[in-house]
Every structure is written in C-alpha cells, then in structure tokens.
Amino acid sequence: MANSAIDPKGQAPKTPVHGQILLEARGLSKGFPGVWKHLILDHLDFDVRAGEVHTLLGENGAGKTVIANILSGYYGKTDGEIRVKGKLVSFDSPRDGLAHGIAMVHQDLMLVGAFTVAQNVMVGLKAPPFSFRLHQVERKLDELVAHYGLQVDPRARVEDLSAGEQQRVEILKVLFHEPEVLFLDEPTSLLTPHEADQLFVVLRAMADEGKGIVFISHKMREVFAVSDRVTVLKLGKMQGTCHISETTEDELTRRTFGETVPDYMERPAVRSDKLAIKVSNLIPQGLEKKAPKSGFSFTLRQGEILGLAGVAGNGQSELIASITGLASPASGQIIILGEDMTKRSPRAFIEKGVAHIPERRREMGIVEQMFVAENVVLKDYRQTPFSRNTVLNHHEITAHAQDIVARFNALVPDLWDTECRILSGGNIQRLILGRETWRKPPVIIASHPTEGLDAKAIRHTWDLFLELREQGSGILLISEDLDEIMSLSDRIGVMFEGAIVGVVEGQDADRELLGHWMAGTAAQAA
Amino acid sequence: MEMAHLWGILFLSLHAMVPITLAAIGETIEESAGLFNIGLEGILLLGALAGALGAEASGSASIGLLSGMTAGALVGLLFGWIGTTLRGSQLITGVGINLFALGFVALMLTVLGAPGFHSVSREIQVPLIPLGVGSLSPLVPVTIVLAFAVWWLLRRTQLGIWIRAAGDNPGAADVAGLPVNALRLGTAVAAGMLAGLAGAYLSVDWFGAVTKEITAGRGFIALAIVVFSGLNPLLALLGGFIFGLFDGLATWVATYPGIKEIIPWQFVAMAPYIVTLAVVAGGIGRVRFPKGLGVPYLRE
C-alpha cells in the first residue's frame, strides 16, 4: 500500500465506471415534519457501482447527509424505493443496512472514548450477549490495518488518539463488517491535508477491490483527488451526475454554489500603527512543559488579519485561553489596545472589546440548553437596552435576535422555543458569528470560524471579516484550514509544538512551505 | 483479645458488608449504562418492608427475599422508564423514590399496628450457615460471588460492552444498532432487584425487623462507594467490606464490656460513615464516569 500523497488534481482514473450497480435509489424523498415545509430530499435518483468512488457534492443543508443516513438505514424514507443489487429492500435500522452490506462513517465521531479501538468495534458486533470475542476482533483488525494501511493500534484507547486516528477508527469500525457499499460523510473535516491524502489512498484501494465508495464533501480539491463520478445536490434536488473527467472545477463550483472562491481575497491596504494585541514571552497555562522557554511573542495591528495555521493540539487552545482570559498564563504579558490585560478575567476581556469565536462551539460557544434568543445576547444582556436594573427586556432581546438570525441566515425554527442544542453546527456557528461581530469589536479571536459552513456562508463570513478589518478590527484567525488562512490573512504564522513558526506575508505565502511547517518537517523542505 | 472476638468482628463486618455491596454493584450496572439512581436508599427501605411482608405472608424466608427483589425491580422499572422513555430528570426521580419510601414505609408500619417497629419472627428469617466459629448468612457468599459475576459481565462479555457503550456514548451505541433505552431500562431493573434484595436482607436476615430508619443511610453509602470504586464491582466489594469492618468494629466496641464504658457508642457508630467519606474523598478525582451518565438519550 502506497502512502505517498496524491496530487490533488488528476490521478483519478479517466475510464468510465462499468461496475455492477450495488445500490440504487429511485425517487427518494424525505420530508421532516414541522419546521421545514419543503422536502429535504426531492425525488432523487442515485446509484453506486462496484469499483467506484462516487462523490456527493453540495452545500450544507443540500441533503447529502440525509441521503447517506437513509441509504444506510439510520433514517426512514418518506417516499421512493431502494434496491440492493437489483433487489427491493427496506431498512428499519443501521443493522438492516449492514446486513445488506451497506455501512456509513458518520461525520461526527461516534466512538466510545473509554474503550479501545477493538472494543469500539465490538459495540456493533452481532454476537451472543455472554460471548467475548475481543481477541478475534483484535486479530481481524490487525489484518485490516495491514491490508489498507490504516495505521491504528487496535489495542489503543480511543480517547488517547488524535482526531485523525479516531477518523481511521471509524473507518475500521465499518470495514470490520466487510461492507460492499461504504458512505463517508465529510470524513476529512478533522484531518490535516496529508492525512486526507492518506485517506484517499485507502478509499481508492477499497474501490479497486470492488467496493462502492460514496464520499461526501463540499471541498472541491478533494472531489477531484478521489472521485470517479460526482453527483451535485442543491437544496435536496439533484443537479446531475457526471464523470469527473467530463467536468471541471469551475463548472462544479458553479453548479454547487453558483460562485467561485478566490485563493486570496483582494483587499485595500490597511496600515494602522495601533496595536490590537501585543503578546510578549507568553507561556499559556498547560504549555509550561511543551513550549519553548521564550514563549509566544507576536503583535496584531488594528485593521489586520493574522492567520495562525497548524494542526490542532499544537498549543492553539492554550494560547486562545490566555488571550481571552479563560486561563491565566503561566508567565508573560498580554497587552490589548494598550492596556495590560495579563491575568484579567474573561469578563474584563469582553468589556475591553475582545470577541471570541471559539473552536468547540457546542461546548464553549453557546449554552446548548438555552434558547436561541438567550444565546444571542449571552455577552450583551448586562447592557441597555437588553436589560435595565438587572431586569431583561424581552422585547429588545427578541428584536436583536431576530436581526442577527436574519442577517446571518441562520435556520432557526423559533427564537424563544428552540433550544440551541437541536440546531446544526452550521447554524450554531452563524449565531455565534452574529453575536461576536455585530458590535464591530476592535479585537476578534476566531478559531475555525467557518468550520461546518457551506461555501456561500463561508464566503459571507470572509467578506464580513474583511469588512471588519477595514473598519479597524484586528483579527486573529486560528484555523486548520489552509485555504481559509491563505485567502484571508495579511500575515501567516504556523503553530507547532507550542510556538509560532514563521510569520510570512499572506499574499505570497507558499502552501507547501506552510504544510511543512504544520507537519514539523520544515528542515526537509529547505 | 481472644480469637473468638476476631471472628466475631469479622462476621459482623461481613454481615454489614452485604446490603451496601449489593446495592452498590446494582448501581454500578446501571451507572455503566448511563442511569444515575439516587433513590437507592428508598429502594432498600421498600425492599425491607416488602421482604418482611412477603416472608410473613408465605412463611418462607426465600419468598421474603424474592418479594424484596420484586419490589426493587418494580421501582427500578419505574425509575428506568422515567429516565429513558419519558426523558425525565433522574435526580428528581431518585429523590422522589427516597421521599416516597420514607412516607410509605412509615404509613405501612402504622397500618401493621406497630408504629416505628415491626419485628420478623425468628422462624421465617433466613437460616444462618453454622460454622465452627459462628454463623454466617448465606447472602455473604452470594454477595461476593455476585460482585465477581458483575465484574465479569461488565468487563468480559459482549453484553457488558453494549451496556457500557450505552452509558459512555449512547449516540455511538445507537448508530451501531443497539437499543439504548431498552439496555438502560434492563440495567435499571437489575439494579432495583439487587437493592431490593439488599433491603429484604436487612429485615428478613440481618436485623429481623423493619423500622423506618432501618437503612440508616446505607443506600447513600452505597452511592458513595460506587463513586469510590469508579464503577468497578470488585472495588465496590472492597469498599463495602471496609464500611462493614468499621460497622462491625463499632458494634463490637459498643457492646464489649470494659470498652463500652470508656468510648461512648454514639461516637463509635459514627466511625463507618466517616471512614467511608474519607475513602471516597481519597478516591475521587482518579475515576472516570460514563460521559452519558444521567443524561437521557435522544436521537436527533
């Protein structure tokens, strides 16, 4: 099994797919009761053939995940028929899907953290209740790992593994059942570019064995790296299926999103001498052992976007916690808008004008059990007009929340009746973006701000960030998504093992060099 | 001190170990599946009453124990149903069980004509196993075997994997096709049965009576021991024995001529609780609990 990276363009076989149709859906429809009037899926025809990687491409909310969930048995369908190798079937549960050789790797990791890899596989085992086949499972996993080059230790505890490794565990989990059709719902969202390339090698190997692979994505680069065929979805409707060799990136982008995303967003030069953030020799809490003695030192001007790329776990969370007041730094100094904010409280940071778009949005960005309107004023409720003399002004809050929801196109059933818990990640992110930016804050610390958003919403967010930048906000952008960093940043640094490598001008940054910095292999690149 | 005293203390300890350990390993099963039942104390109390009534109605100690288990299972079923299908608050339900049991048992004792105290006659108590150095309740070996059996069930069987998956990540269990709520309900019933058995043991075996204070916080001690054990039934057995040991020592000190005059018995009676607290406090922080503990599961 080769481990070399795939060139993002090309390499997909140019020959048409002639394999047997493994799974076929005709007139597939799905309507959720209540909130949505239109059908989530509107009479779709879709098939998967042996030996192909078939990509489902579309924005968030296009219905990609719903198709996969229905065809793997997790959701029921409203209408239409499903055939497996020509035979009409109906699925009541994921087990039915598995019994027909159809498996799905979900976008969210569905793993039991306390279990080992093998024990996680056992969760889905159809075995007698008092049997215990751990060793058989481990041995079979050893074989699968070797066969597909998946690089996971079946005996490792899952919560000790990196996100990329956990993703591979998810794939192992379904491969264990030897499926013929495998759905992967945005499997690369947690992976570094290199890990994604490795995954594509595995997917290709599985397809070459005669499996049918359905790859769900909204990233154009990946579509061309791995697909044989691609089906474009938009708002639950088919936009057609075609061979990857018959189409181009521009055409697909137009069909999916209606516009193209530039590599570097043009912007007027904004040069302010005023510093938004000045950090000197900062060693955040939790990095005392990992970080170099000198700590972090960097500046962020007002009207500037500083991008910090890097694989998660290299000190990003700790740095952010320090400069938002969530954790007192072990040592060093933080100056925000000219004021020493070292060891001040989170509230002091908020009142100073530091907006924070956190990485774990469900845990840190919102209170899941609270209603939409409450979450929208989570940082402003103390101020007039949202409250007076500690009494909340319901009317003002409603009007404000309505405004934010409308401006950021959040799909929210009701402001005062919908708990944020039930919203999708993308919609939660829209609310957070609205809440954090509506005051045009002088300092914005944004971690993965567009993760889980579709291309249109990403474009809106980028435009918003540039607009805020022009109006004088200093924006610290921390993201694993190199595309985003490169499109937006005036300057780019890379987080690696508790330090910032580089800082280069954004406009002429070299993707390959940044990639090497991210992987810690800069010396080889030089 | 003579050997007989040592044996005496050991037997007292083993007898005191039984109810706490039974309740704790039951709770361990359901907490592994994600249910947190704070109503153990109430189930113990109801089990004690049901055990006494069952034994008296049938004239058989075994039927008494079975009655206690049945009562416990029913309460466990109710708790599990509220905690899963109805997605109610497990905390409130547990508190409700405790309050209900307190009132109900007091009422029933009054109805039985002996407010506060109802003794179970010697003939229908569980017969003890005579050993050379004293007599032991058959529930002592049963408890020890059960602790090992539950450890085996949770750690070394497919069913254990399913139960723990339902507790730690019910979403993952659901995706794998497991009936999360049914699994949880099953563990709630099993836990109720064990707590009910523990209660019946108090009335039909160990004390031979029902009072409304008969449980004396043992349900809560069992909860504390579950925390200390980190959901390991063998550690729960150890915790139960430690409590039992100090309980046994306390009883011995309080009754031994020459010592009981020096140390006030109220002071000694405190010892098992303080030791349990200390042990639990020492144990907390090192254990991890299922991520889904106490949270109803809802597929979105």
Side-chain angles (χ1 to χ4, degrees):
Chain A
M1 203 68 41
N3 275 326
S4 61
I6 293 182
D7 175 12
K9 304 219 168 83
Q11 178 119 8
K14 298 284 186 272
T15 48
V17 178
H18 292 303
Q20 182 197 7
I21 295 179
L22 296 174
L23 175 67
E24 187 179 12
R26 291 280 165 256
L28 198 64
S29 296
K30 174 80 180 172
F32 283 122
V35 184
W36 293 274
K37 283 186 202 83
H38 68 270
L39 289 170
I40 294 284
L41 291 185
D42 194 354
H43 297 89
L44 289 177
D45 298 332
F46 179 75
D47 63 58
V48 194
R49 293 165 192 258
E52 74 163 342
V53 178
H54 191 153
T55 297
L56 271 173
L57 178 66
E59 303 179 278
N60 274 26
K64 300 168 303 215
T65 304
V66 180
I67 294 187
N69 274 327
I70 292 175
L71 293 182
S72 61
Y74 194 57
Y75 289 166
K77 59 180 165 30
T78 309
D79 196 18
E81 58 183 41
I82 304 172
R83 290 173 188 274
V84 175
K85 294 183 179 170
K87 245 178 59 193
L88 205 60
V89 294
S90 80
F91 298 151
D92 288 328
S93 82
R95 276 200 174 169
D96 292 346
L98 269 183
H100 284 94
I102 297 159
M104 174 161 175
V105 177
H106 289 260
Q107 180 179 11
D108 297 323
L109 294 170
M110 293 282 195
L111 296 171
V112 180
F115 282 6
T116 67
V117 174
Q119 285 174 321
N120 266 284
V121 171
M122 286 181 76
V123 173
L125 218 54
K126 252 187 157 179
F130 295 104
S131 64
F132 198 59
R133 300 183 179 159
L134 183 65
H135 296 297
Q136 291 101 301
V137 170
E138 284 174 349
R139 252 175 279 136
K140 184 165 173 186
L141 287 177
D142 284 334
E143 286 166 23
L144 286 171
V145 163
H147 184 71
Y148 292 108
L150 273 162
Q151 295 172 8
V152 186
D153 176 7
R155 292 155 192 85
R157 194 180 288 267
V158 162
E159 60 195 359
D160 298 335
L161 301 179
S162 72
E165 286 172 308
Q166 293 193 4
Q167 182 66 55
R168 293 200 281 275
V169 176
E170 285 287 5
I171 294 170
L172 269 180
K173 243 169 72 180
V174 295
L175 279 180
F176 187 87
H177 299 282
E178 298 172 359
E180 293 188 73
V181 177
L182 185 58
F183 287 87
L184 296 109
D185 190 1
E186 309 211 354
T188 57
S189 55
L190 296 166
L191 305 186
T192 63
H194 180 63
E195 283 177 322
D197 287 340
Q198 283 180 326
L199 174 66
F200 297 153
V201 174
V202 173
L203 295 187
R204 176 50 58 197
M206 294 194 292
D208 288 346
E209 283 183 347
K211 296 186 194 301
I213 309 293
V214 182
F215 175 71
I216 297 177
S217 181
H218 59 239
K219 292 184 189 159
M220 216 45 78
R221 185 185 304 278
E222 296 176 346
V223 174
F224 281 89
V226 76
S227 322
D228 299 303
R229 285 194 299 164
V230 53
T231 292
V232 178
L233 275 180
K234 194 166 186 176
L235 289 172
K237 293 194 173 64
M238 289 279 283
Q239 306 293 308
T241 300
C242 68
H243 235 270
I244 200 75
S245 56
E246 297 162 357
T247 186
T248 62
E249 193 166 326
D250 278 350
E251 189 197 337
L252 278 188
T253 307
R254 256 195 317 280
R255 288 221 319 246
T256 316
F257 312 115
E259 57 187 312
T260 50
V261 180
D263 285 341
Y264 178 79
M265 305 270 287
E266 291 304 325
R267 79 273 316 260
V270 178
R271 287 280 171 188
S272 166
D273 292 333
K274 281 199 274 181
L275 291 181
I277 303 179
K278 181 171 191 287
V279 165
S280 323
N281 304 107
L282 175 74
I283 298 186
Q285 206 178 89
L287 285 185
E288 295 92 335
K289 295 210 178 74
K290 197 174 181 183
K293 292 274 170 288
S294 52
F296 290 103
S297 295
F298 64 87
T299 57
L300 170 69
R301 284 190 295 269
Q302 293 199 269
E304 179 188 48
I305 301 178
L306 172 62
L308 291 180
V311 180
N314 275 296
Q316 290 95 329
S317 312
E318 292 85 353
L319 174 65
I320 293 169
S322 281
I323 57 180
T324 52
L326 294 173
S328 288
S331 65
Q333 193 184 37
I334 302 158
I335 293 174
I336 295 196
L337 301 170
E339 186 181 341
D340 188 347
M341 299 290 285
T342 318
K343 305 200 173 180
R344 299 284 297 276
S345 71
R347 184 155 160 197
F349 278 82
I350 292 170
E351 281 165 5
K352 189 73 193 164
V354 179
H356 179 200
I357 298 163
E359 56 176 335
R360 286 176 300 133
R361 63 189 67 146
R362 280 185 189 276
E363 291 85 4
M364 294 173 69
I366 53 159
V367 182
E368 286 199 299
Q369 284 79 10
M370 282 168 66
F371 298 125
V372 170
E374 294 173 317
N375 270 298
V376 169
V377 291
L378 212 51
K379 284 187 173 173
D380 302 303
Y381 70 91
R382 286 190 205 89
Q383 277 137 29
T384 40
F386 305 120
S387 68
R388 266 194 189 88
N389 305 324
T390 73
V391 179
L392 293 178
N393 185 332
H394 203 276
H395 181 72
E396 287 290 342
I397 292 175
T398 307
H400 175 60
Q402 236 154 20
D403 181 43
I404 297 277
V405 164
R407 269 203 287 158
F408 285 83
N409 291 317
L411 192 59
V412 170
D414 189 279
L415 295 177
W416 287 100
D417 204 29
T418 302
E419 290 179 24
C420 272
R421 184 172 63 81
I422 70 161
L423 299 180
S424 73
N427 282 314
I428 288 173
Q429 191 68 353
R430 288 178 173 92
L431 293 180
I432 296 173
L433 281 166
R435 182 184 73 207
E436 297 297 326
T437 60
W438 74 276
R439 274 182 192 277
K440 307 193 190 312
V443 183
I444 299 172
I445 291 158
S447 183
H448 310 280
T450 57
E451 192 191 345
L453 298 182
D454 58 56
K456 215 159 77 197
I458 289 175
R459 186 60 197 263
H460 278 313
T461 309
W462 288 1
D463 287 337
L464 172 73
F465 275 27
L466 288 179
E467 191 187 314
L468 289 163
R469 167 189 172 275
E470 269 175 63
Q471 290 166 354
S473 297
I475 302 174
L476 185 64
L477 175 70
I478 292 146
S479 177
E480 278 184 276
D481 183 351
L482 256 187
D483 291 333
E484 176 164 72
I485 293 272
M486 296 185 68
S487 299
L488 276 180
S489 307
D490 297 306
R491 289 184 299 146
I492 300 176
V494 171
M495 298 278 296
F496 187 73
E497 296 194 339
I500 294 178
V501 191
V503 175
V504 295
E505 288 295 317
Q507 200 160 1
D508 40 49
D510 175 39
R511 172 180 292 272
E512 204 163 315
L513 178 64
L514 293 178
H516 278 295
W517 278 346
M518 285 169 78
T521 54
Q524 285 156 253
Chain B
M1 191 162 57
E2 299 158 39
M3 274 308 282
H5 290 309
L6 282 182
W7 283 112
I9 293 170
L10 178 67
F11 277 38
L12 278 170
S13 310
L14 289 173
H15 283 141
M17 170 190 83
V18 169
I20 289 167
T21 307
L22 284 176
I25 58 183
E27 180 76 9
T28 297
I29 303 175
E30 75 181 321
E31 287 196 18
S32 296
L35 290 176
F36 182 78
N37 189 352
I38 207 175
L40 280 189
E41 179 84 1
I43 301 182
L44 275 161
L45 198 51
L46 291 170
L49 179 71
L53 296 182
E56 281 168 357
S58 65
S60 149
S62 322
I63 300 290
L65 294 179
L66 274 178
S67 308
M69 286 170 79
T70 309
L74 287 175
V75 179
L77 182 68
L78 176 72
F79 170 80
W81 182 55
I82 294 173
T84 58
T85 315
L86 297 186
R87 298 201 299 272
S89 159
Q90 295 171 25
L91 193 70
I92 303 288
T93 310
V95 170
I97 291 170
N98 286 335
L99 292 176
F100 168 76
L102 210 57
F104 183 72
V105 170
L107 171 72
M108 287 308 286
L109 288 175
T110 313
V111 170
L112 291 172
F117 189 87
H118 177 78
S119 67
V120 176
S121 66
R122 193 68 235 165
E123 303 83 65
I124 53 170
Q125 289 179 23
V126 175
L128 300 181
I129 308 166
L131 300 170
V133 287
S135 349
L136 200 61
S137 163
L139 278 175
V140 172
V142 165
T143 300
I144 295 171
V145 169
L146 270 175
F148 280 89
V150 169
W151 179 87
W152 175 79
L153 170 82
L154 290 177
R155 305 292 173 104
R156 290 288 182 274
T157 69
Q158 183 68 42
L159 183 58
I161 291 273
W162 288 333
I163 288 174
R164 286 156 64 206
D168 202 79
N169 190 341
D174 188 17
V175 169
L178 297 181
V180 173
N181 280 346
L183 274 169
R184 288 183 164 185
L185 200 59
T187 61
V189 171
M193 277 172 71
L194 286 173
L197 177 62
Y201 164 84
L202 292 178
S203 62
V204 185
D205 187 339
W206 193 21
F207 294 148
V210 189
T211 74
K212 60 183 168 50
E213 299 90 11
I214 190 169
T215 49
R218 286 188 173 79
F220 293 110
I221 295 284
L223 282 175
I225 282 174
V226 172
V227 173
F228 149 77
S229 73
L231 299 190
N232 181 343
L234 298 182
L235 282 179
L237 180 65
L238 177 70
F241 181 74
I242 293 175
F243 177 86
L245 182 66
F246 281 87
D247 204 7
L249 269 177
T251 312
W252 182 77
V253 166
T255 53
Y256 192 69
I259 296 182
K260 67 176 176 182
E261 289 83 3
I262 303 166
I263 309 175
W265 70 268
Q266 290 93 339
F267 190 74
V268 182
M270 226 161 55
Y273 299 93
I274 289 180
V275 169
T276 306
L277 266 181
V279 169
V280 170
I284 282 178
R286 280 177 282 131
V287 298
R288 69 157 281 170
F289 282 85
K291 288 222 173 65
L293 186 58
V295 186
Y297 176 62
L298 170 64
R299 187 193 289 182
E300 278 158 31

